[in-house]
Amino acid sequence: MKARFTRTSIYLALGAVATSLVSMQAVGQTKTTYKEKDLGIIPVQQDQPDLTGLWYHINERQVQQANEEFARLKALYPGWQVPQEVETELNRINGRLKGTIKPVASKPKTERTQPEQLIEPAPKAIEQVAESGESTGSNEKQQAAPASKALPLEQFAQLTPKARANASRQQVETLIALSNQLKRTDFYLLMGWTAIDKGMLEMAVQQFTEALQSSVRDIDKQSAQQGLNSVTGIKLQQALSLRDTTRLAQFLKSDDNGYVKEVLQGAAWQQYDAKNYDFAEALFGLVNDNEGRYLSLIAKGSDNAAQIAFDLACSINTEIFIRRCADGLASRQAQFYDTRRFKESIEAGKSLARLRPLSTDEQALIGWAAKEIQDTTTATAAFEQVLSKTPSNAVIANELVSLNQSDDATLNRLALKFSEVKRIFQERTTRNAWPRKQFWLAYQNDDPQAVTAQTKDGLTALYGINTRSRSGGEGLGNFDVLSQYIGVGSGYKNWLWQVSLDYKQFYSGTPQVGDWFGDRQLDSSFLGISGFEDTGVRAEAYYQAPDFNFYANLEYAMFEQPVSAKVTGQISATRFLANTTVAATLFREAKEDSLLSQTGTFYANRDQSWGYVIESGFRGLIAHSIADNMSVAGTAQISRLEGERVADNSALSLRGDVSYDIASLVFSRLDYWRVGPFLSYTSYDKNLSGFTIGNGGYFSPSAFISIGGYSELLTLEALNWQVKLRSSLALSHVEQDDDLRFPIGEAYLPSDLDTTLGESSDTGLSGNLTAEGQYRINHNWIVAGYIGKAFAVEYQAFEAGIQIRWREGKGTGVTSDELLLSSPRISGFAL
């Protein structure tokens, strides 16, 4: 927008004061106009005419010439308001006032002792003569120089402007010299205008300067100043035509009445209107017209000019320039963002905020830029301010949730402050929780499907029974476990907890005559204990967060067995990334391969005990989704095995899987159906599978390799029933080293210390099939169970279990996290 400004136009008409009506007049004058947006140019009133010639004729009592000059000025300036003193003096010399003294005819005059009195109004001089009673000749002696001296100038004044303009330079110089001798204001003015007309500018300056110093009346001072301005105007026009800014600056420096500034300012606007923006900007800069300079810079359209204009706007503390600076910052903020200069965009936005409140779009742009450079703090603050102004803005709320998805404290604060953040946070959490099987988290976030399926925060009471049977070679290769348990549990905030009491019965095959057992090879029937029953207690807790699971359990069982009971348990954590799941578990648990390894046992004579192998270690899992329905996974476990009077051992286990989900190709009521190949490898440092002192009675091959395929199917969640099926089939190869039968050196006969287990290897098919499910009987009761069968070379295993569960509240469905074998205590990971 163009604000109001002043434009000065110079009209320099060169000429002297005329003594008769003519068609041309030389004047130096200024016009000031004002520009306003959409208003155009406001017309200006005509300037006052130069009265030098008129007053000359009045002072010289030249009645006819005075009347003719007056008529000429009236015709040339129709709107001229005639000053009262001019009317009075004209009436006086024309005899229209009483007491008028008839002007004295021109005659030789004596030289004045006070030259300044010649330019006083005629009435004053006449009144002085009348009051003193002196003769006319005496008055003339005080008022005028001798006629012979002033006559050339008087005669020159009678000429027409054209005739004076045609006078020779030498003649003008002579008259100027005479004017300098006579020191009369009217002659100074006459010759000053004549010098301008002749282009003798320095002489004109000298004459007008003398006139300004010698004049008494304001009208004469104004005329002299106008003459000086005319000379300056001519010089300015010359410098302007040459675009000599250095010289223009010099004129401006010596400007003591503001005339040069007005001329340059007017010329600047003329150059602006003519689209000469470079020169216009230079002129505006000389006169410190920031408005004009800013508009000129903007009109140039170049990036450099725009930068200078922006810097100028931001350096001036006025309302309009502050607004322009703000507009420039807003434009830069967007431009920087579009060109990926995100830090500069943020700084521009912050600078803009110091000048005025940001719009929601400008505030949001700070957030978007900060997000691009991963400045979560700045982005969160910016988006938070936007959401404060637009509480229902789902896009901004969604960004706040995304930015702080791993910062629970910030998310909780935002969720409390903004209902839209809470809604999106809950919706996103639920959307992610379902495929991750985090149904407790979905329930906590008021997911309708989870809430309808189960009231997980209600008190739960349960009873279960399960059995496990391992069949191998005759005798000690067989092992059966029957467990019963009761438990209670519930939920608290993000935690699920459960406490259970266990009652277990263990049965083992008995060694045959000739089998190695304890410290010897049996030579008679085994009369020792082959079974135990005892109790235990365990507690577990499960925590779920949007991208994190945590599980822990502790167990203390088999209090009165041959080997002292020990505390066991595990700590497991899972982290969910965008396309990757990482899980890790620290564990300490009994090796459940045999009675010897799980509880320990007595010698045949019951006087000593050994066994109860505790395996402590770490297992980890990494699963990565490479497509919507395809993933790869790797599992690793390293452990240390220790038992009472059992040699220490170390184990390493690795497995790799590729899975492809075919559920969508088969049946719509399936949650998933994953199929794919796998490869596994297990190795123990020592073969401690025997049942003599120092052995643990657990399967510990030096190498066990399997390669095959597997399948896992799960029906839909939150229905009244659910089924899960798992199966695998592989080609397996096992190797067992020929390790010592008494690895810790204890034997009945010293000759037995060198006895070995014997080396063996075998290759064959191995596989397993497991089915589990659960069914909701009514709102409060659920029954769940599983059954499984596994086989390998000279090995078979069977397992089964059933559980009945009561929960307060009301539910209509079941979810897979409560399938019995899905417990992290059994599966090994907090998944």
Side-chain angles (χ1 to χ4, degrees), residues 37 93 107-108 125 281 307 313 336 382 438 449 506 523 552 564 591 595 597 674-675 714 721 784 790 792 807 819:
K37 182 177 180 182
I93 67 173
K107 59 174 66 178
E281 191 244 328
Q307 175 65 45
F336 286 145
Q438 294 177 289
Q449 191 176 11
F506 304 93
D523 53 8
S564 300
K591 191 70 172 174
L595 186 69
S597 68
R674 298 171 183 148
V675 297
L714 178 69
W721 59 273
R807 178 175 290 130
L819 288 168

Side-chain angles (χ1 to χ4, degrees), residues 22 24 159-167 197:
V22 292
M24 297 178 61
L159 299 177
T160 64
K162 183 177 181 180
R164 288 197 298 273
N166 290 331
D197 190 43

Side-chain angles (χ1 to χ4, degrees), residues 14 169 192 195-208 227-228 230-235 238 247:
L14 305 178
R169 184 181 182 91
I196 288 179
D197 190 43
K198 298 295 292 180
M200 303 163 65
L201 300 182
E202 297 306 321
M203 290 188 174
V205 169
Q206 183 267 330
Q207 291 294 293
F208 286 128
L228 290 171
S230 296
V231 175
T232 303
I234 293 172
K235 293 180 178 179
Q238 292 173 347
R247 190 178 179 194

Side-chain angles (χ1 to χ4, degrees), residues 35-53:
K35 240 179 189 182
E36 188 70 38
K37 182 177 180 182
D38 301 327
L39 296 180
I41 297 176
I42 301 174
V44 211
Q45 308 244 336
Q46 281 279 7
D47 293 320
Q48 295 296 315
D50 181 14
L51 303 182
T52 305

Side-chain angles (χ1 to χ4, degrees), residues 548-553 570-574 583-586 824 828-831:
F548 180 76
N549 283 358
F550 176 79
Y551 173 80
N553 74 62
Q570 67 186 60
I571 296 174
S572 184
T574 301
T585 301
L586 294 174
F829 292 108
L831 295 171

